[in-house]
Amino acid sequence: MIEFKNVSKWYGSFQVLTDCTTNVSKGEVVVICGPSGSGKSTLIKTANALEPFQKGEIFIDGVSVGAPDTNLPKLRSRIGMVFQHFELFPHLSVMRNLSLAQIKVLGRSEAEANERGRALLERVGLKAHIDKYPGQLSGGQQQRVAIARALAMDPMAMLFDEPTSALDPEMVNEVLDVMVDLAKEGMTMMVVTHEMGFARSVADRVIFMDQGQIIEDCTKDEFFGNPDARSDRAKHFLSKILHH
Ligand SMILES: Nc1ncnc2c1ncn2[C@@H]1O[C@H](COP(=O)(O)OP(=O)(O)O)[C@@H](O)[C@H]1O
Ligand SMILES: [Mg+2]
């Protein structure tokens, strides 16, 4: 479903991704972890064509992201992206946040878009907040709206970039619960996160990045169950995050 082939990217002379190769199959959940600055955000942004890359190829459901004739807005509309800082439209109601792109990009009628929006808000437990504005919601609620908004586009895959790291601790689980449900329903997901409990419970694979490279790409069981086989960098990273 998502295929990275020897992807390299530079910001000027600084190489941010080096020869990254991995595949995410339909229905697979892949967690990406690694130190700050290792290129995790950049990697998933290249998949959504939010960041160009200079070498290699990326295919989404067989469509080449880098090919000049690829319809990028169309491709982007099929991949849901959830960021650390929600990025809801502050001046639009929750309902409108969910319906706008459905109407403008997918050409749905207002009634259809509202119907789909309502169903998704119910699913993330926020039906009562439909007429509120983002600023009237907690961080955890805003992030659940952001997930519902992405799902309203009927994405073929969802990309998450540290979706819980800007949240107060008591709100982390309400967002993770929604993500766990999605994973169990078979959504294809790439999730940048340091929530190793989430990784242990629903990830199929774990990717560990350092300095722009994919250092580890293995099954969850291999990653957590066979620490001796991990690279020193992964071990060092895990020892730091698992001790807290
Ligand atoms: N727009 C940019 N211009 C130049 N350097 C950038 C830009 N965005 C990110 N970087 C650098 O690229 C590296 C990887 O960043 P990023 O993908 O955000 O890492 P991560 O998500 O793992 O913390 C970092 O060293 C960061 O400073
Ligand atoms: Mg990042």
Side-chain angles (χ1 to χ4, degrees), residues 84-151:
Q84 188 173 346
H85 294 288
F86 331 136
E87 315 210 2
L88 297 171
F89 302 116
H91 59 294
L92 299 180
S93 69
V94 166
M95 181 79 261
R96 200 71 190 145
N97 262 283
L98 264 73
S99 65
L100 192 65
Q102 294 186 66
I103 296 166
K104 299 261 186 244
V105 180
L106 301 183
R108 289 182 182 157
S109 70
E110 181 137 0
E112 231 181 330
N114 288 349
E115 182 57 39
R116 179 96 179 104
R118 260 193 292 276
L120 284 163
L121 282 177
E122 176 146 35
R123 175 164 159 191
V124 301
L126 291 174
K127 211 175 174 190
H129 302 280
I130 199 159
D131 294 321
K132 289 191 178 163
Y133 286 82
Q136 297 173 293
L137 302 178
S138 72
Q141 290 171 330
Q142 289 186 55
Q143 193 60 301
R144 285 185 281 152
V145 172
I147 294 171
R149 180 176 64 174
L151 291 175

Short mmCIF file of all heavy atoms in Angstrom, two decimals, residues 84-151:
data_model
loop_
_atom_site.label_atom_id
_atom_site.label_comp_id
_atom_site.label_asym_id
_atom_site.label_seq_id
_atom_site.Cartn_x
_atom_site.Cartn_y
_atom_site.Cartn_z
N GLN A 84 0.79 16.58 15.49
CA GLN A 84 0.90 16.82 16.92
C GLN A 84 -0.04 17.95 17.37
O GLN A 84 -0.69 17.85 18.41
CB GLN A 84 2.36 17.21 17.18
CG GLN A 84 2.76 17.32 18.61
CD GLN A 84 4.27 17.53 18.72
OE1 GLN A 84 5.03 17.34 17.75
NE2 GLN A 84 4.70 17.93 19.88
N HIS A 85 -0.09 19.02 16.57
CA HIS A 85 -0.86 20.19 16.99
C HIS A 85 -2.18 20.32 16.22
O HIS A 85 -2.44 21.34 15.59
CB HIS A 85 -0.02 21.46 16.85
CG HIS A 85 1.13 21.47 17.79
ND1 HIS A 85 0.98 21.66 19.15
CD2 HIS A 85 2.46 21.25 17.59
CE1 HIS A 85 2.16 21.58 19.73
NE2 HIS A 85 3.07 21.33 18.81
N PHE A 86 -2.96 19.26 16.21
CA PHE A 86 -4.35 19.21 15.73
C PHE A 86 -4.60 19.91 14.40
O PHE A 86 -5.14 19.33 13.49
CB PHE A 86 -5.33 19.74 16.79
CG PHE A 86 -4.89 19.56 18.22
CD1 PHE A 86 -5.01 20.56 19.16
CD2 PHE A 86 -4.32 18.36 18.63
CE1 PHE A 86 -4.58 20.36 20.48
CE2 PHE A 86 -3.88 18.15 19.93
CZ PHE A 86 -4.02 19.17 20.85
N GLU A 87 -4.24 21.20 14.30
CA GLU A 87 -4.42 21.94 13.05
C GLU A 87 -5.86 21.95 12.55
O GLU A 87 -6.14 21.81 11.37
CB GLU A 87 -3.44 21.44 11.97
CG GLU A 87 -2.05 21.29 12.59
CD GLU A 87 -0.88 21.50 11.65
OE1 GLU A 87 -1.09 21.81 10.48
OE2 GLU A 87 0.25 21.39 12.14
N LEU A 88 -6.78 22.11 13.48
CA LEU A 88 -8.18 22.33 13.09
C LEU A 88 -8.34 23.78 12.66
O LEU A 88 -7.51 24.63 13.00
CB LEU A 88 -9.11 22.05 14.28
CG LEU A 88 -9.07 20.61 14.79
CD1 LEU A 88 -9.85 20.49 16.10
CD2 LEU A 88 -9.63 19.65 13.75
N PHE A 89 -9.40 24.08 11.91
CA PHE A 89 -9.68 25.47 11.55
C PHE A 89 -10.36 26.13 12.76
O PHE A 89 -11.48 25.75 13.12
CB PHE A 89 -10.60 25.55 10.34
CG PHE A 89 -10.04 24.86 9.12
CD1 PHE A 89 -10.66 23.76 8.57
CD2 PHE A 89 -8.86 25.33 8.53
CE1 PHE A 89 -10.14 23.13 7.44
CE2 PHE A 89 -8.33 24.70 7.40
CZ PHE A 89 -8.97 23.60 6.87
N PRO A 90 -9.69 27.10 13.40
CA PRO A 90 -10.21 27.64 14.67
C PRO A 90 -11.52 28.41 14.50
O PRO A 90 -12.30 28.51 15.44
CB PRO A 90 -9.08 28.56 15.16
CG PRO A 90 -8.27 28.86 13.96
CD PRO A 90 -8.41 27.70 13.02
N HIS A 91 -11.74 28.96 13.29
CA HIS A 91 -12.91 29.81 13.08
C HIS A 91 -14.11 29.01 12.58
O HIS A 91 -15.15 29.59 12.29
CB HIS A 91 -12.56 30.90 12.07
CG HIS A 91 -12.10 30.35 10.75
ND1 HIS A 91 -10.92 29.64 10.61
CD2 HIS A 91 -12.68 30.37 9.53
CE1 HIS A 91 -10.79 29.26 9.36
NE2 HIS A 91 -11.85 29.69 8.68
N LEU A 92 -13.97 27.69 12.47
CA LEU A 92 -15.09 26.86 12.00
C LEU A 92 -15.55 25.93 13.12
O LEU A 92 -14.74 25.44 13.91
CB LEU A 92 -14.66 26.01 10.81
CG LEU A 92 -14.18 26.74 9.54
CD1 LEU A 92 -13.79 25.71 8.48
CD2 LEU A 92 -15.27 27.67 9.01
N SER A 93 -16.85 25.66 13.14
CA SER A 93 -17.39 24.73 14.13
C SER A 93 -16.81 23.34 13.87
O SER A 93 -16.27 23.06 12.80
CB SER A 93 -18.90 24.67 14.02
OG SER A 93 -19.26 24.03 12.80
N VAL A 94 -16.97 22.48 14.87
CA VAL A 94 -16.52 21.10 14.72
C VAL A 94 -17.17 20.46 13.49
O VAL A 94 -16.49 19.84 12.67
CB VAL A 94 -16.87 20.31 16.01
CG1 VAL A 94 -16.73 18.81 15.79
CG2 VAL A 94 -15.96 20.77 17.16
N MET A 95 -18.47 20.66 13.34
CA MET A 95 -19.18 20.10 12.19
C MET A 95 -18.58 20.57 10.87
O MET A 95 -18.34 19.80 9.95
CB MET A 95 -20.66 20.51 12.26
CG MET A 95 -21.51 19.96 11.14
SD MET A 95 -21.97 18.24 11.44
CE MET A 95 -20.79 17.38 10.46
N ARG A 96 -18.32 21.89 10.82
CA ARG A 96 -17.80 22.48 9.58
C ARG A 96 -16.36 22.00 9.32
O ARG A 96 -15.97 21.79 8.17
CB ARG A 96 -17.84 24.00 9.72
CG ARG A 96 -17.79 24.74 8.43
CD ARG A 96 -19.07 24.60 7.62
NE ARG A 96 -18.86 25.13 6.27
CZ ARG A 96 -19.40 24.64 5.17
NH1 ARG A 96 -20.21 23.60 5.23
NH2 ARG A 96 -19.14 25.19 4.01
N ASN A 97 -15.59 21.82 10.40
CA ASN A 97 -14.24 21.28 10.24
C ASN A 97 -14.30 19.91 9.56
O ASN A 97 -13.44 19.57 8.76
CB ASN A 97 -13.55 21.13 11.61
CG ASN A 97 -12.63 22.29 11.93
OD1 ASN A 97 -11.51 22.37 11.41
ND2 ASN A 97 -13.10 23.20 12.77
N LEU A 98 -15.33 19.14 9.90
CA LEU A 98 -15.45 17.80 9.33
C LEU A 98 -16.04 17.80 7.93
O LEU A 98 -15.73 16.93 7.13
CB LEU A 98 -16.30 16.91 10.24
CG LEU A 98 -15.51 16.05 11.21
CD1 LEU A 98 -14.93 16.87 12.33
CD2 LEU A 98 -16.33 14.92 11.74
N SER A 99 -16.89 18.77 7.64
CA SER A 99 -17.62 18.69 6.36
C SER A 99 -16.91 19.42 5.21
O SER A 99 -17.08 19.06 4.05
CB SER A 99 -19.04 19.24 6.52
OG SER A 99 -19.00 20.62 6.81
N LEU A 100 -16.11 20.43 5.55
CA LEU A 100 -15.60 21.32 4.50
C LEU A 100 -14.86 20.60 3.37
O LEU A 100 -15.20 20.75 2.19
CB LEU A 100 -14.67 22.38 5.13
CG LEU A 100 -14.28 23.52 4.22
CD1 LEU A 100 -15.50 24.36 3.84
CD2 LEU A 100 -13.24 24.43 4.91
N ALA A 101 -13.86 19.80 3.72
CA ALA A 101 -13.08 19.13 2.66
C ALA A 101 -13.91 18.07 1.94
O ALA A 101 -13.71 17.82 0.76
CB ALA A 101 -11.81 18.52 3.24
N GLN A 102 -14.84 17.47 2.67
CA GLN A 102 -15.72 16.49 2.00
C GLN A 102 -16.48 17.15 0.86
O GLN A 102 -16.66 16.59 -0.21
CB GLN A 102 -16.74 15.92 2.98
CG GLN A 102 -16.19 15.08 4.10
CD GLN A 102 -17.35 14.48 4.88
OE1 GLN A 102 -18.10 13.66 4.37
NE2 GLN A 102 -17.51 14.90 6.13
N ILE A 103 -16.94 18.39 1.13
CA ILE A 103 -17.73 19.11 0.12
C ILE A 103 -16.81 19.65 -0.99
O ILE A 103 -17.05 19.43 -2.17
CB ILE A 103 -18.51 20.27 0.81
CG1 ILE A 103 -19.53 19.69 1.79
CG2 ILE A 103 -19.19 21.16 -0.24
CD1 ILE A 103 -20.12 20.69 2.77
N LYS A 104 -15.72 20.33 -0.56
CA LYS A 104 -14.85 21.00 -1.55
C LYS A 104 -14.01 20.01 -2.36
O LYS A 104 -13.79 20.23 -3.54
CB LYS A 104 -13.88 21.97 -0.83
CG LYS A 104 -14.57 23.08 -0.07
CD LYS A 104 -14.57 24.36 -0.88
CE LYS A 104 -15.14 25.52 -0.07
NZ LYS A 104 -16.37 26.08 -0.62
N VAL A 105 -13.50 18.98 -1.70
CA VAL A 105 -12.56 18.09 -2.39
C VAL A 105 -13.26 16.86 -2.97
O VAL A 105 -13.00 16.46 -4.09
CB VAL A 105 -11.41 17.66 -1.45
CG1 VAL A 105 -10.44 16.74 -2.16
CG2 VAL A 105 -10.68 18.89 -0.90
N LEU A 106 -14.17 16.28 -2.19
CA LEU A 106 -14.82 15.04 -2.65
C LEU A 106 -16.14 15.32 -3.39
O LEU A 106 -16.72 14.41 -3.97
CB LEU A 106 -15.09 14.09 -1.48
CG LEU A 106 -13.85 13.64 -0.68
CD1 LEU A 106 -14.26 12.64 0.40
CD2 LEU A 106 -12.79 13.02 -1.58
N GLY A 107 -16.61 16.58 -3.32
CA GLY A 107 -17.83 16.93 -4.03
C GLY A 107 -19.09 16.37 -3.40
O GLY A 107 -20.12 16.24 -4.06
N ARG A 108 -19.03 16.06 -2.10
CA ARG A 108 -20.24 15.56 -1.44
C ARG A 108 -21.21 16.71 -1.19
O ARG A 108 -20.80 17.87 -1.05
CB ARG A 108 -19.88 14.92 -0.10
CG ARG A 108 -19.17 13.60 -0.29
CD ARG A 108 -18.85 12.92 1.04
NE ARG A 108 -18.12 11.69 0.77
CZ ARG A 108 -17.31 11.09 1.63
NH1 ARG A 108 -17.14 11.59 2.84
NH2 ARG A 108 -16.68 9.97 1.29
N SER A 109 -22.48 16.39 -1.11
CA SER A 109 -23.47 17.41 -0.76
C SER A 109 -23.30 17.75 0.72
O SER A 109 -22.72 16.97 1.49
CB SER A 109 -24.88 16.88 -0.99
OG SER A 109 -25.18 15.89 -0.03
N GLU A 110 -23.83 18.90 1.11
CA GLU A 110 -23.72 19.31 2.51
C GLU A 110 -24.39 18.28 3.42
O GLU A 110 -23.86 17.92 4.47
CB GLU A 110 -24.37 20.69 2.67
CG GLU A 110 -24.28 21.20 4.09
CD GLU A 110 -23.91 22.67 4.15
OE1 GLU A 110 -23.71 23.31 3.09
OE2 GLU A 110 -23.80 23.18 5.27
N ALA A 111 -25.54 17.79 2.99
CA ALA A 111 -26.27 16.81 3.81
C ALA A 111 -25.46 15.53 3.98
O ALA A 111 -25.33 14.99 5.09
CB ALA A 111 -27.62 16.49 3.16
N GLU A 112 -24.88 15.08 2.89
CA GLU A 112 -24.06 13.86 2.92
C GLU A 112 -22.86 14.05 3.85
O GLU A 112 -22.52 13.18 4.66
CB GLU A 112 -23.53 13.65 1.50
CG GLU A 112 -23.72 12.31 0.87
CD GLU A 112 -23.09 12.33 -0.54
OE1 GLU A 112 -23.05 13.40 -1.20
OE2 GLU A 112 -22.62 11.29 -0.94
N ALA A 113 -22.20 15.21 3.68
CA ALA A 113 -20.99 15.49 4.46
C ALA A 113 -21.33 15.59 5.95
O ALA A 113 -20.59 15.09 6.80
CB ALA A 113 -20.34 16.78 3.96
N ASN A 114 -22.45 16.24 6.25
CA ASN A 114 -22.84 16.37 7.65
C ASN A 114 -23.17 15.01 8.26
O ASN A 114 -22.83 14.73 9.41
CB ASN A 114 -24.04 17.31 7.78
CG ASN A 114 -23.65 18.76 7.54
OD1 ASN A 114 -22.47 19.08 7.48
ND2 ASN A 114 -24.64 19.62 7.38
N GLU A 115 -23.83 14.19 7.47
CA GLU A 115 -24.20 12.86 7.93
C GLU A 115 -22.96 12.04 8.28
O GLU A 115 -22.85 11.45 9.35
CB GLU A 115 -24.99 12.17 6.79
CG GLU A 115 -25.50 10.79 7.10
CD GLU A 115 -26.38 10.79 8.34
OE1 GLU A 115 -27.16 11.75 8.50
OE2 GLU A 115 -26.26 9.83 9.13
N ARG A 116 -22.01 12.07 7.36
CA ARG A 116 -20.76 11.33 7.58
C ARG A 116 -20.01 11.91 8.79
O ARG A 116 -19.46 11.19 9.61
CB ARG A 116 -19.90 11.43 6.33
CG ARG A 116 -18.58 10.74 6.40
CD ARG A 116 -18.65 9.35 5.81
NE ARG A 116 -17.34 8.71 5.86
CZ ARG A 116 -17.03 7.76 6.74
NH1 ARG A 116 -17.92 7.33 7.61
NH2 ARG A 116 -15.84 7.22 6.74
N GLY A 117 -19.99 13.24 8.88
CA GLY A 117 -19.32 13.91 10.00
C GLY A 117 -19.94 13.52 11.34
O GLY A 117 -19.23 13.20 12.29
N ARG A 118 -21.26 13.52 11.37
CA ARG A 118 -21.95 13.15 12.61
C ARG A 118 -21.62 11.73 13.03
O ARG A 118 -21.36 11.45 14.20
CB ARG A 118 -23.46 13.28 12.42
CG ARG A 118 -24.03 14.57 13.01
CD ARG A 118 -25.55 14.52 13.09
NE ARG A 118 -26.15 14.52 11.76
CZ ARG A 118 -26.39 15.64 11.06
NH1 ARG A 118 -26.10 16.81 11.57
NH2 ARG A 118 -26.92 15.57 9.87
N ALA A 119 -21.63 10.82 12.07
CA ALA A 119 -21.35 9.41 12.38
C ALA A 119 -19.93 9.26 12.95
O ALA A 119 -19.71 8.52 13.91
CB ALA A 119 -21.50 8.56 11.12
N LEU A 120 -18.99 10.01 12.38
CA LEU A 120 -17.61 9.89 12.85
C LEU A 120 -17.43 10.55 14.22
O LEU A 120 -16.68 10.07 15.05
CB LEU A 120 -16.65 10.48 11.82
CG LEU A 120 -16.45 9.54 10.64
CD1 LEU A 120 -15.84 10.25 9.45
CD2 LEU A 120 -15.58 8.35 11.05
N LEU A 121 -18.13 11.65 14.45
CA LEU A 121 -18.04 12.29 15.77
C LEU A 121 -18.60 11.36 16.84
O LEU A 121 -18.07 11.28 17.95
CB LEU A 121 -18.79 13.61 15.79
CG LEU A 121 -18.06 14.78 15.14
CD1 LEU A 121 -18.94 16.02 15.15
CD2 LEU A 121 -16.74 15.06 15.86
N GLU A 122 -19.65 10.65 16.49
CA GLU A 122 -20.21 9.69 17.42
C GLU A 122 -19.17 8.61 17.73
O GLU A 122 -18.95 8.23 18.87
CB GLU A 122 -21.46 9.06 16.82
CG GLU A 122 -22.06 7.97 17.69
CD GLU A 122 -23.58 7.94 17.60
OE1 GLU A 122 -24.09 8.21 16.50
OE2 GLU A 122 -24.20 7.65 18.63
N ARG A 123 -18.51 8.17 16.68
CA ARG A 123 -17.52 7.11 16.84
C ARG A 123 -16.36 7.52 17.74
O ARG A 123 -15.82 6.71 18.48
CB ARG A 123 -17.02 6.75 15.45
CG ARG A 123 -15.93 5.78 15.41
CD ARG A 123 -15.83 5.23 14.01
NE ARG A 123 -14.52 4.69 13.83
CZ ARG A 123 -14.04 4.31 12.66
NH1 ARG A 123 -14.77 4.42 11.58
NH2 ARG A 123 -12.84 3.81 12.58
N VAL A 124 -15.95 8.80 17.68
CA VAL A 124 -14.85 9.23 18.55
C VAL A 124 -15.38 9.84 19.85
O VAL A 124 -14.63 10.46 20.61
CB VAL A 124 -13.88 10.22 17.83
CG1 VAL A 124 -13.28 9.58 16.60
CG2 VAL A 124 -14.57 11.53 17.47
N GLY A 125 -16.67 9.66 20.10
CA GLY A 125 -17.24 10.05 21.39
C GLY A 125 -17.46 11.54 21.55
O GLY A 125 -17.41 12.05 22.68
N LEU A 126 -17.71 12.28 20.46
CA LEU A 126 -17.80 13.73 20.57
C LEU A 126 -19.08 14.31 19.97
O LEU A 126 -19.13 15.49 19.61
CB LEU A 126 -16.59 14.37 19.88
CG LEU A 126 -15.26 14.16 20.59
CD1 LEU A 126 -14.13 14.71 19.74
CD2 LEU A 126 -15.25 14.82 21.96
N LYS A 127 -20.10 13.50 19.87
CA LYS A 127 -21.32 13.96 19.22
C LYS A 127 -21.91 15.19 19.90
O LYS A 127 -22.47 16.08 19.25
CB LYS A 127 -22.34 12.83 19.18
CG LYS A 127 -23.22 12.93 17.95
CD LYS A 127 -24.15 11.76 17.84
CE LYS A 127 -25.10 11.99 16.67
NZ LYS A 127 -26.16 11.00 16.66
N ALA A 128 -21.74 15.26 21.21
CA ALA A 128 -22.33 16.37 21.97
C ALA A 128 -21.63 17.71 21.66
O ALA A 128 -22.14 18.77 22.02
CB ALA A 128 -22.23 16.08 23.46
N HIS A 129 -20.48 17.65 21.00
CA HIS A 129 -19.69 18.87 20.80
C HIS A 129 -19.74 19.39 19.37
O HIS A 129 -18.94 20.25 18.97
CB HIS A 129 -18.24 18.60 21.19
CG HIS A 129 -18.09 18.13 22.60
ND1 HIS A 129 -18.10 18.99 23.67
CD2 HIS A 129 -17.99 16.90 23.12
CE1 HIS A 129 -17.97 18.31 24.79
NE2 HIS A 129 -17.91 17.02 24.48
N ILE A 130 -20.68 18.90 18.63
CA ILE A 130 -20.74 19.14 17.18
C ILE A 130 -20.78 20.63 16.80
O ILE A 130 -20.21 21.04 15.80
CB ILE A 130 -21.96 18.37 16.63
CG1 ILE A 130 -21.87 18.16 15.14
CG2 ILE A 130 -23.28 19.00 17.01
CD1 ILE A 130 -22.75 17.00 14.67
N ASP A 131 -21.44 21.46 17.62
CA ASP A 131 -21.58 22.87 17.27
C ASP A 131 -20.55 23.77 17.94
O ASP A 131 -20.59 24.99 17.79
CB ASP A 131 -22.99 23.36 17.62
CG ASP A 131 -24.03 22.67 16.74
OD1 ASP A 131 -23.75 22.48 15.53
OD2 ASP A 131 -25.09 22.28 17.27
N LYS A 132 -19.65 23.17 18.69
CA LYS A 132 -18.63 23.98 19.37
C LYS A 132 -17.52 24.36 18.39
O LYS A 132 -17.41 23.82 17.30
CB LYS A 132 -18.04 23.19 20.54
CG LYS A 132 -19.01 23.04 21.69
CD LYS A 132 -18.32 22.50 22.92
CE LYS A 132 -19.31 22.40 24.06
NZ LYS A 132 -18.81 21.53 25.13
N TYR A 133 -16.66 25.28 18.85
CA TYR A 133 -15.47 25.64 18.10
C TYR A 133 -14.26 24.96 18.74
O TYR A 133 -14.30 24.66 19.95
CB TYR A 133 -15.31 27.17 18.08
CG TYR A 133 -16.33 27.80 17.15
CD1 TYR A 133 -17.63 28.03 17.58
CD2 TYR A 133 -15.99 28.09 15.83
CE1 TYR A 133 -18.59 28.54 16.72
CE2 TYR A 133 -16.94 28.60 14.97
CZ TYR A 133 -18.24 28.82 15.41
OH TYR A 133 -19.17 29.32 14.54
N PRO A 134 -13.21 24.73 17.96
CA PRO A 134 -12.06 24.01 18.51
C PRO A 134 -11.55 24.58 19.83
O PRO A 134 -11.21 23.82 20.74
CB PRO A 134 -11.01 24.13 17.40
CG PRO A 134 -11.83 24.15 16.15
CD PRO A 134 -13.06 24.95 16.50
N GLY A 135 -11.53 25.90 19.95
CA GLY A 135 -11.02 26.53 21.17
C GLY A 135 -11.84 26.21 22.42
O GLY A 135 -11.38 26.43 23.53
N GLN A 136 -13.04 25.69 22.22
CA GLN A 136 -13.88 25.33 23.37
C GLN A 136 -13.66 23.88 23.81
O GLN A 136 -14.31 23.41 24.73
CB GLN A 136 -15.36 25.53 23.00
CG GLN A 136 -15.70 26.99 22.70
CD GLN A 136 -17.12 27.12 22.17
OE1 GLN A 136 -17.44 26.66 21.07
NE2 GLN A 136 -17.97 27.75 22.96
N LEU A 137 -12.77 23.18 23.12
CA LEU A 137 -12.54 21.77 23.44
C LEU A 137 -11.17 21.57 24.08
O LEU A 137 -10.25 22.37 23.87
CB LEU A 137 -12.59 20.93 22.15
CG LEU A 137 -13.87 20.99 21.33
CD1 LEU A 137 -13.70 20.13 20.07
CD2 LEU A 137 -15.06 20.50 22.15
N SER A 138 -11.03 20.49 24.84
CA SER A 138 -9.72 20.14 25.40
C SER A 138 -8.81 19.64 24.27
O SER A 138 -9.28 19.33 23.17
CB SER A 138 -9.89 19.02 26.44
OG SER A 138 -10.19 17.81 25.78
N GLY A 139 -7.53 19.52 24.58
CA GLY A 139 -6.58 19.03 23.58
C GLY A 139 -6.93 17.64 23.09
O GLY A 139 -6.88 17.36 21.89
N GLY A 140 -7.32 16.78 24.02
CA GLY A 140 -7.67 15.40 23.64
C GLY A 140 -8.89 15.37 22.74
O GLY A 140 -8.95 14.60 21.76
N GLN A 141 -9.85 16.24 23.06
CA GLN A 141 -11.06 16.31 22.22
C GLN A 141 -10.71 16.86 20.84
O GLN A 141 -11.19 16.36 19.82
CB GLN A 141 -12.12 17.18 22.89
CG GLN A 141 -12.72 16.54 24.13
CD GLN A 141 -13.60 17.50 24.92
OE1 GLN A 141 -13.36 18.71 24.94
NE2 GLN A 141 -14.60 16.96 25.60
N GLN A 142 -9.86 17.89 20.80
CA GLN A 142 -9.48 18.45 19.50
C GLN A 142 -8.76 17.42 18.64
O GLN A 142 -8.98 17.33 17.43
CB GLN A 142 -8.56 19.67 19.69
CG GLN A 142 -9.29 20.87 20.24
CD GLN A 142 -8.38 22.10 20.28
OE1 GLN A 142 -7.80 22.49 19.28
NE2 GLN A 142 -8.26 22.69 21.45
N GLN A 143 -7.92 16.62 19.28
CA GLN A 143 -7.20 15.62 18.49
C GLN A 143 -8.16 14.55 17.97
O GLN A 143 -8.00 14.05 16.85
CB GLN A 143 -6.06 15.01 19.32
CG GLN A 143 -5.05 14.19 18.52
CD GLN A 143 -4.34 14.98 17.44
OE1 GLN A 143 -4.97 15.53 16.53
NE2 GLN A 143 -3.02 15.05 17.51
N ARG A 144 -9.18 14.22 18.76
CA ARG A 144 -10.17 13.25 18.27
C ARG A 144 -10.98 13.83 17.11
O ARG A 144 -11.32 13.13 16.17
CB ARG A 144 -11.08 12.79 19.42
CG ARG A 144 -10.35 11.82 20.35
CD ARG A 144 -11.27 11.26 21.40
NE ARG A 144 -11.51 12.20 22.49
CZ ARG A 144 -12.61 12.22 23.23
NH1 ARG A 144 -13.60 11.39 22.98
NH2 ARG A 144 -12.72 13.08 24.21
N VAL A 145 -11.26 15.14 17.17
CA VAL A 145 -11.92 15.80 16.03
C VAL A 145 -11.01 15.71 14.79
O VAL A 145 -11.47 15.42 13.69
CB VAL A 145 -12.26 17.27 16.33
CG1 VAL A 145 -12.76 17.98 15.06
CG2 VAL A 145 -13.30 17.38 17.44
N ALA A 146 -9.71 15.94 15.01
CA ALA A 146 -8.77 15.90 13.88
C ALA A 146 -8.75 14.51 13.25
O ALA A 146 -8.68 14.36 12.02
CB ALA A 146 -7.37 16.31 14.34
N ILE A 147 -8.82 13.48 14.08
CA ILE A 147 -8.85 12.11 13.55
C ILE A 147 -10.15 11.88 12.78
O ILE A 147 -10.15 11.33 11.67
CB ILE A 147 -8.67 11.08 14.69
CG1 ILE A 147 -7.26 11.20 15.30
CG2 ILE A 147 -8.90 9.65 14.17
CD1 ILE A 147 -7.05 10.39 16.57
N ALA A 148 -11.26 12.33 13.36
CA ALA A 148 -12.55 12.17 12.68
C ALA A 148 -12.55 12.92 11.35
O ALA A 148 -13.07 12.43 10.34
CB ALA A 148 -13.69 12.67 13.58
N ARG A 149 -11.94 14.10 11.34
CA ARG A 149 -11.89 14.89 10.10
C ARG A 149 -11.12 14.13 9.02
O ARG A 149 -11.53 14.09 7.85
CB ARG A 149 -11.23 16.24 10.37
CG ARG A 149 -11.15 17.10 9.11
CD ARG A 149 -10.59 18.48 9.37
NE ARG A 149 -9.20 18.42 9.82
CZ ARG A 149 -8.45 19.49 10.01
NH1 ARG A 149 -8.95 20.70 9.83
NH2 ARG A 149 -7.20 19.37 10.43
N ALA A 150 -10.01 13.53 9.41
CA ALA A 150 -9.23 12.76 8.43
C ALA A 150 -10.03 11.55 7.94
O ALA A 150 -10.03 11.24 6.75
CB ALA A 150 -7.90 12.32 9.06
N LEU A 151 -10.74 10.89 8.86
CA LEU A 151 -11.50 9.69 8.47
C LEU A 151 -12.68 10.03 7.56
O LEU A 151 -13.12 9.20 6.76
CB LEU A 151 -12.02 8.98 9.73
CG LEU A 151 -10.96 8.32 10.60
CD1 LEU A 151 -11.60 7.77 11.87
CD2 LEU A 151 -10.25 7.21 9.84
#
